[in-house]
Amino acid sequence: EVQVLESGGGLVQPGGSLRLSCTASGFTFSIYGMTWVRQAPGKGLEWVSTVSGSGAGTTYADSVRGRFTISRDDSKSTMFLQMNSLRVEDTAVYFCVKGGAGTYYTDWGQGTLVTVSS
Amino acid sequence: VLTQSPGTLSLSPGERATLSCGASPSVGTSLAWYQQKPGQSPRLLIYDTSNRATGIPARFSGSGSGTDFTLTISSLEPEDFAVYYCQQRSSWPITFGQGTRLEI
């Protein structure tokens, strides 16, 4: 059974940093692209970033490019999202999703809440 | 851009639900539908316009192409009341519609 589990969310002040983790199991992690999708409170879904199966390719939404960095450690079946220079508008539940940049998503984590507030 | 309508749809169990998703520009048939219940992550229902994902009941169906798409729920069950999103994968970046809330 495919499982993905996010961690690392919390409350941070504007301008601060946070690192999210996503630990996966039930599939061969190294060969799959992995993606972060976020959802602001009461709002819709927004694709944030994707890392390719090899880890060589990364893509970002315009809203986070230059501030967020996605990476992965295949030896630990884990993906990361380093979030710097956080803004109030980054407040959202961040979902870890199995799949690359141009696909549909069948396997989602439960999400981790990031709150950016002073 | 994906535009969903209506924003909210009020129906009763047993009724037929028709949800729309408009795309600009055309996305061909590269469109999916998700269901999300409060406090849960989204669940893939339909992919490539009309293919049901694994385990999805036959009362859910999708149709359309190009710029106009429809998700139909033939006879609503109590568990179907949720928010529904469309998603395109035709062009980068993948995008989602703003959602349709299906309420009792």
Side-chain angles (χ1 to χ4, degrees):
Chain A
E1 178 190 6
V2 172
Q3 289 190 328
V4 290
L5 181 64
E6 306 92 340
S7 61
L11 174 64
V12 61
Q13 292 187 337
S17 297
L18 213 55
R19 190 194 198 202
L20 306 183
S21 299
C22 169
T23 303
S25 62
F27 64 100
T28 305
F29 181 78
S30 61
I31 68 174
Y32 283 92
M34 295 292 294
T35 292
W36 290 98
V37 173
R38 70 183 180 184
Q39 185 171 37
K43 302 298 185 181
L45 301 165
E46 179 189 17
W47 171 81
V48 174
S49 183
T50 294
V51 59
S52 67
S54 65
T58 58
T59 54
Y60 299 92
D62 289 345
S63 58
V64 307
R65 186 177 296 113
R67 300 186 298 121
F68 290 10
T69 303
I70 193 171
S71 62
R72 61 191 295 159
D73 182 345
D74 289 345
S75 70
K76 298 180 179 178
S77 296
T78 301
M79 173 179 65
F80 305 98
L81 187 68
Q82 177 66 43
M83 303 185 294
N84 299 330
S85 303
L86 282 160
R87 304 168 180 169
V88 171
E89 55 265 34
D90 294 319
T91 294
V93 173
Y94 285 72
F95 293 103
C96 168
V97 187
K98 171 177 169 278
T103 188
Y104 307 119
Y105 302 116
T106 57
D107 300 290
W108 298 64
Q110 285 303 301
T112 187
L113 176 62
V114 173
T115 303
V116 185
S117 175
S118 55
Chain B
V1 176
L2 297 178
T3 304
Q4 293 186 239
S5 61
T8 302
L9 185 58
S10 299
L11 293 170
S12 299
E15 291 192 296
R16 181 185 187 90
T18 303
L19 288 68
S20 296
C21 179
S24 179
S26 169
V27 298
T29 57
S30 298
L31 188 107
W33 292 92
Y34 296 82
Q35 176 194 69
Q36 187 179 31
K37 297 179 180 179
Q40 296 185 15
S41 52
R43 178 174 70 146
L44 179 67
L45 301 174
I46 301 287
Y47 65 93
D48 285 342
T49 298
S50 59
N51 298 287
R52 278 190 301 276
T54 302
I56 301 303
R59 64 180 182 274
F60 291 91
S61 64
S63 63
S65 68
T67 59
D68 295 295
F69 299 86
T70 300
L71 173 69
T72 301
I73 310 172
S74 59
S75 179
L76 286 165
E77 297 287 342
E79 62 267 28
D80 297 337
F81 292 91
V83 179
Y84 292 83
Y85 295 96
C86 55
Q87 177 227 325
Q88 67 81 21
R89 67 167 189 140
S90 173
S91 62
W92 184 90
I94 65 110
T95 51
F96 297 88
Q98 81 278 20
T100 289
R101 179 177 303 277
L102 178 56
E103 64 177 26
I104 299 178

